[in-house]
Amino acid sequence: MWLTRFRELPAALRVLFLASFINRAGMFVFPLLAVYLVRGKDLSAGEAGLLISVGSTGLLVGSLLSGPLCDLRGRRAALLGSLLLNAAGYLGLAVLDGPPWTYAGLLFVALVGMGMFGPAANTLVADLTTPEQRPFAYTVNYVGNNLGMGVGPLLGGLAAAYSYDIMFAGNILAGLVCAVLIALWVPRDRHRRAGNRKDRARPGPLGHHHVLLVVLVSFFYVVPLIGLEYTLPLAVTTVLDESAGLVGAVYTINSVVVVGLGLFLEKRMRGHGTKLLLLVSGALWAAGLAVIVVAFSLPAILLSTVIWTLGEIIVSVIVPTYVADHVDERRVGTFMALNGFVLGLARLAVPAGLGALWTAHGHQPVFLTLLAAPLVGMAAYAVLRIRPSAAATAALPPKTAEAPATT
């Protein structure tokens, strides 16, 4: 029973999952930022887009800072710092009235905080779970985040309908509530003595080259996720000439599948090797995208969303679990930050590249490119040397001692 397994997790993690949900549900500002800059600050759509693009580099910087901060100051300090930076940046956006470049700077600060939170949370999960608990813990965290992401834009839209001040106040208040929960319930890091993992001889990233490659190759599974966020609204409204309201149906289906099937899928993943699960994830991504390529229509897009969301769930659980299982505990924060950096890099590069391709050749090459990405990832994972998970290794029966030789 998943509820029993949830209660067996440390109290600090249960509080972290609650804080992550509140934090995601309270992200009122970011989805409506372009509207705020255009209507609230009287900028043009082009100026707003440029400022958001510049400010969004904060996600990359935050991901990179999270690892060193976790290693130097601790996981709790990184989580609290991320929430306070995010609140400070949004407070500045809400109350200051300056030249446009100041909005980009304040957004940068807010998104540095946003970029730090995920890797720090994943690192804390790695610290406080046993190998057997990790896949379940990462699944619960992922489901909670997606549930919050489904609630947040709705609440943000309602708040913005009354006042942008309420929208910002709600976002800031949610972040501060999360900071209080973490400060009260998440303990300071317990620095354990080195020497209980095989990879300690070479603690740098190259000492864990197999983990480094697993994280970097996951970029090819992130590309279709970010690409679909960018292309599906365009495809629905321009190519299919459907209402923009139907775009929300895609995100609703995605959230429903994650929340409804995430824990069920985690149970089915137990006992299967990491490489097999990564290949299955890529196959689901490719199958979902193939549906769009072969039968481009609104029903195909909705069916596709169900299929590729299953692949999204698997890779989102397997990659941080693999990092936690195989990386020196002193370097887990660095590798979790690298995982976050891969996502941030895709957010910056993929929309620009696909936009240029769409403008030059139309939508069909765009979806073919998205289909090619997980196929490349599958080919790479097929040839990589991927070690078994710690839970699978622990489950193996001990080797029987050899019988003494007889004469």
Side-chain angles (χ1 to χ4, degrees):
M1 182 67 178
W2 72 266
L3 189 57
T4 302
R5 298 174 69 195
F6 182 76
R7 288 172 178 165
E8 291 173 351
L9 295 173
L13 280 190
R14 300 199 298 269
V15 171
L16 174 68
F17 298 153
L18 175 62
S20 296
F21 167 74
I22 295 172
N23 188 42
R24 283 290 185 178
M27 285 185 180
F28 299 163
V29 175
F30 191 64
L32 298 166
L33 191 57
V35 177
Y36 170 72
L37 291 175
V38 172
R39 295 184 178 179
K41 295 297 185 180
D42 297 321
L43 300 181
S44 69
E47 289 174 320
L50 178 61
L51 293 180
I52 291 173
S53 294
V54 173
S56 293
T57 58
L59 291 170
L60 289 176
V61 174
S63 297
L64 290 177
L65 287 178
S66 183
L69 186 57
C70 280
D71 295 336
L72 293 174
R73 305 299 298 177
R75 285 57 161 145
R76 187 176 76 160
L79 289 167
L80 292 175
S82 74
L83 293 166
L84 295 177
L85 274 177
N86 188 257
Y90 281 148
L91 179 62
L93 277 173
V95 302
L96 296 180
D97 189 13
W101 64 266
T102 60
Y103 305 144
L106 291 166
L107 177 61
F108 177 85
V109 172
L111 295 188
V112 166
M114 185 186 294
M116 288 169 56
F117 188 89
N122 281 341
T123 305
L124 185 65
V125 172
D127 285 350
L128 299 183
T129 54
T130 64
E132 294 78 12
Q133 292 174 319
R134 279 177 194 147
F136 175 74
Y138 282 121
T139 302
V140 172
N141 191 45
Y142 185 67
V143 169
N145 275 318
N146 275 269
L147 187 59
M149 289 170 64
V151 173
L154 174 62
L155 296 178
L158 293 174
Y162 285 96
S163 166
Y164 290 122
D165 290 338
I166 294 176
M167 179 181 74
F168 276 99
N171 199 136
I172 293 168
L173 179 61
L176 295 179
V177 168
C178 293
V180 170
L181 289 172
I182 289 170
L184 291 176
W185 289 94
V186 174
R188 296 181 183 275
D189 293 8
R190 298 188 297 271
H191 296 289
R192 288 162 285 191
R193 296 176 66 91
N196 61 347
R197 291 201 182 185
K198 295 179 180 179
D199 287 333
R200 292 192 183 280
R202 295 177 62 194
L206 293 180
H208 306 296
H209 59 278
H210 61 104
V211 184
L212 180 66
L213 291 174
V214 166
V215 173
L216 293 179
V217 172
S218 71
F219 176 80
F220 293 103
Y221 290 3
V222 175
V223 165
L225 177 64
I226 304 305
L228 289 171
E229 286 182 1
Y230 171 74
T231 57
L232 284 184
L234 289 176
V236 170
T237 56
T238 62
V239 181
L240 298 176
D241 198 24
E242 298 283 356
S243 167
L246 291 175
V247 175
V250 174
Y251 294 101
T252 299
I253 290 173
N254 177 258
S255 296
V256 168
V257 173
V258 170
V259 175
L261 296 180
L263 293 171
F264 171 83
L265 199 59
E266 185 272 333
K267 289 179 65 175
R268 297 300 179 271
M269 288 191 287
R270 276 184 265 167
H272 296 290
T274 300
K275 175 176 285 194
L276 174 62
L277 291 172
L278 288 170
L279 293 176
V280 169
S281 174
L284 288 167
W285 268 114
L289 290 161
V291 170
I292 299 179
V293 171
V294 173
F296 186 78
S297 63
L298 183 60
I301 288 174
L302 299 180
L303 174 60
S304 165
T305 303
V306 175
I307 299 171
W308 62 253
T309 298
L310 298 175
E312 177 194 356
I313 294 170
I314 294 173
V315 73
S316 298
V317 172
I318 291 302
V319 172
T321 299
Y322 192 78
V323 171
D325 284 349
H326 295 288
V327 173
D328 180 335
E329 65 189 24
R330 296 169 297 176
R331 309 295 293 179
V332 169
T334 299
F335 277 85
M336 293 297 184
L338 178 63
N339 191 34
F341 179 81
V342 166
L343 177 61
L345 181 62
R347 288 194 180 280
L348 286 182
V350 171
L354 294 181
L357 183 61
W358 188 305
T359 301
H361 302 288
H363 71 279
Q364 290 182 335
V366 168
F367 286 105
L368 285 171
T369 301
L370 292 178
L371 172 58
L375 295 176
V376 172
M378 290 178 66
Y381 281 135
V383 300
L384 285 183
R385 177 175 173 266
I386 298 177
R387 299 181 183 178
S389 67
T393 302
L396 292 176
K399 293 183 178 179
T400 56
E402 293 184 3
T406 58
T407 58

